[in-house]
């Protein structure tokens, strides 16, 4: 059998791509956008000043040398291309016609820039919490949601991805699509404290949490949590610092979940209401994330490894923009949520007595004169003042 000759390239550079310096989006729009801050904000999902700060952070990794064959792509164009992809979720093929760069070149730029954003900015905008950080986070939750000793709201979200080849049902979740999971702990400012990214969509949130570094360190008492302290105004025994979560997570001394929905009295309903006030911050954080970076509005057409890089970059950019942008009313969009169905949501079995005791301590406090809210009874009865 005769071997086929290798396919010969028709062009070294396609005629359309050769016009990049004259007709590409970066060269025709970038400088005009900088003169119109509102349009720049809409294009990049951040202000010009924040873009410049971001550009200065990973700039050393985005700059490449020119060669005798071609000019390198500038750091500004690389960053602008990546932000536009994250802000719209358009395919690399669409970006090809906008920026007049090869599809493989665009893919490489986006993945490389996302990786740099994660590596260079993670310690600055999402540092590992220290012992002195937890009381500050807890004070923020108490001020905004009136849930004391809360160090974060925890939840897991499914990010839709294209089915990886030869993966079977590993990525197929209970919502009947393929996904990887973003598990996040969020503070009262809608900022991510700790994240775990890339778990199979078929895995329950509780199992992901138990096997994550965050869950392992929490179980081993290695998160540098402060000693238990009394709840505000209470003379009862000290309460540990806790994470608020939904029914998909196991109850433990440091993880609070709602009472089961059967046989609820007013005391249990009030606890569930107060817990939901704290837990809403993680739901809102995911809504803000998806509304700003609309790459999450559609299926990520890339491998799970590259999808993980995109999610990591969006998490960092979420924190980065909330820190540096002028505070405004958060825009919250619907985001795929996780519900408690199936038989795989509590791998630890029945909750231990220690976790039950802590939940009872909080439930008693929320109906005491020191911990009660004036509107909580009306809220659980479905009435408004």
């Amino acid at each position: 059998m005769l071997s086929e000759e290798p396919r010969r390239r028709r062009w070294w550079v396609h005629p359309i791509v050769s016009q990049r310096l004259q007709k590409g989006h970066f060269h025709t729009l970038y400088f005009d956008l900088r003169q119109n801050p509102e349009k720049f904000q809409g294009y990049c999902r951040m202000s010009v000043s924040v873009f410049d700060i971001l550009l200065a952070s990973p700039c050393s990794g985005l700059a490449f040398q020119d060669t005798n064959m071609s000019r390198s792509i500038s750091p500004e164009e690389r960053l602008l291309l990546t932000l536009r992809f994250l802000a719209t979720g358009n395919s690399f093929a669409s970006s090809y016609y906008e920026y007049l760069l090869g599809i493989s070149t665009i893919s490489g730029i986006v993945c490389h820039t996302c990786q740099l954003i994660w590596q260079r900015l993670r310690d600055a905008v999402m540092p590992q919490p220290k012992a002195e950080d937890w009381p500050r986070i807890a004070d923020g939750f108490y001020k905004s949601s009136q849930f004391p000793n809360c160090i974060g709201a925890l939840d897991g979200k499914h990010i839709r991805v294209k089915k990886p080849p030869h993966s079977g049902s590993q990525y197929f979740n209970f919502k009947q699509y393929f996904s990887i999971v973003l598990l996040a702990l969020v503070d009262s400012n809608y900022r991510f404290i700790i994240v775990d990214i890339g778990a199979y969509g078929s895995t329950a949130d509780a199992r992901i949490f138990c096997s994550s570094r965050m869950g392992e360190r929490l179980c081993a008492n290695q998160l540098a949590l402060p000693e238990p302290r009394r709840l505000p105004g209470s003379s009862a025994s000290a309460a540990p610092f806790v994470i608020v979560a939904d029914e998909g997570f196991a109850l433990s001394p440091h993880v609070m979940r709602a009472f089961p929905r059967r046989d609820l009295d007013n005391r249990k309903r009030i606890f569930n209401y107060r817990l939901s006030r704290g837990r809403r911050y993680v739901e809102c954080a995911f809504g803000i994330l998806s509304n700003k970076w609309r790459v999450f509005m559609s299926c990520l057409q890339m491998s799970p490894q590259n999808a993980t890089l995109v999610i990591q970059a969006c998490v960092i950019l979420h924190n980065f923009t909330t820190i540096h942008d002028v505070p405004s009313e958060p825009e919250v969009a619907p985001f795929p949520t996780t519900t408690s169905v199936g038989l795989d949501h509590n791998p630890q079995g029945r909750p231990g007595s220690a976790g039950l005791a802590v939940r009872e301590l909080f439930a008693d406090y929320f109906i005491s004169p020191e911990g009660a809210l004036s509107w909580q009874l009306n809220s659980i009865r479905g009435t408004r003042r």
Side-chain angles (χ1 to χ4, degrees), residues 148-161:
N149 287 20
C150 177
I151 58 171
L154 177 69
D155 204 359
K157 296 300 178 184
H158 291 272
I159 310 298
R160 189 187 295 264
V161 297

Side-chain angles (χ1 to χ4, degrees), residues 88-376:
T88 62
N90 290 342
S91 65
F92 294 148
S94 297
S95 299
Y96 163 79
Y97 292 104
E98 295 173 357
Y99 286 85
L100 302 184
L101 290 166
I103 294 177
S104 60
T105 302
I106 292 173
S107 175
I109 289 174
V110 169
C111 293
H112 177 251
T113 306
C114 288
Q115 186 176 25
L116 276 179
I117 289 173
W118 172 259
Q119 293 175 347
R120 301 290 177 88
L121 298 178
R122 177 179 53 184
D123 293 337
V125 302
M126 197 176 63
Q128 177 67 39
K130 300 178 182 178
E132 58 269 21
D133 295 327
W134 296 119
R136 174 181 53 80
I137 295 173
D139 292 341
F141 267 102
Y142 182 66
K143 181 179 179 180
S144 59
S145 66
Q146 293 77 52
F147 198 106
N149 287 20
C150 177
I151 58 171
L154 177 69
D155 204 359
K157 296 300 178 184
H158 291 272
I159 310 298
R160 189 187 295 264
V161 297
K162 181 179 67 173
K163 180 186 182 300
H166 313 297
S167 62
S169 60
Q170 285 180 323
Y171 293 90
F172 196 69
N173 63 35
F174 66 92
K175 292 191 169 190
Q176 310 299 307
Y177 61 82
F178 296 92
S179 65
I180 59 177
V181 179
L182 165 59
L183 184 73
L185 185 69
V186 174
D187 67 12
S188 60
N189 295 316
Y190 308 104
R191 295 175 188 165
F192 295 101
I193 305 172
I194 304 174
V195 295
D196 183 90
I197 304 170
Y200 297 137
S202 61
T203 310
D205 290 347
R207 288 192 180 276
I208 298 172
F209 178 67
C210 290
S211 60
S212 68
R213 186 182 178 190
M214 172 173 49
E216 291 175 350
R217 295 187 65 186
L218 181 65
C219 293
N221 294 321
Q222 295 177 351
L223 278 182
L225 297 182
E227 292 295 321
R229 68 181 183 185
R230 289 183 176 179
L231 302 179
S234 174
S235 59
S237 57
F241 286 83
V242 298
I243 294 170
V244 293
D246 62 13
E247 294 87 347
F249 295 88
L251 181 68
S252 73
H254 291 293
V255 179
M256 291 291 100
R257 54 177 281 179
F259 284 101
R261 298 182 182 180
R262 59 183 181 276
D263 301 327
L264 290 177
D265 54 20
N266 278 350
R267 173 174 166 276
K268 293 180 179 179
R269 290 180 184 275
I270 289 173
F271 174 85
N272 289 357
Y273 167 70
R274 299 288 290 272
L275 184 85
S276 68
R277 283 176 57 83
R279 198 174 60 80
R280 64 183 176 176
Y281 286 93
V282 66
E283 300 288 352
C284 290
F286 281 112
I288 296 168
L289 179 76
S290 65
N291 192 61
K292 180 179 286 289
W293 308 112
R294 302 195 176 189
V295 68
F296 297 123
M297 294 293 191
S298 58
C299 178
L300 296 180
Q301 299 292 325
M302 54 184 64
S303 67
Q305 293 75 24
N306 290 340
T308 298
L309 294 177
V310 168
I311 299 169
Q312 288 174 339
C314 288
V315 166
I316 295 300
L317 291 172
H318 171 90
N319 281 12
F320 188 85
T321 53
T322 57
I323 292 171
H324 291 92
D325 261 336
V326 177
S328 59
E329 188 68 22
E331 300 178 25
V332 181
F335 200 91
T337 56
T338 311
T339 55
S340 301
V341 300
L343 303 175
D344 195 29
H345 282 288
N346 191 357
Q348 296 180 347
R350 296 179 63 84
S353 58
L356 292 171
V358 173
R359 186 167 65 180
E360 295 294 329
L361 178 62
F362 277 95
D364 291 337
Y365 174 74
F366 290 148
I367 61 172
S368 68
E370 297 82 10
L373 299 177
S374 59
W375 65 85
Q376 61 187 22

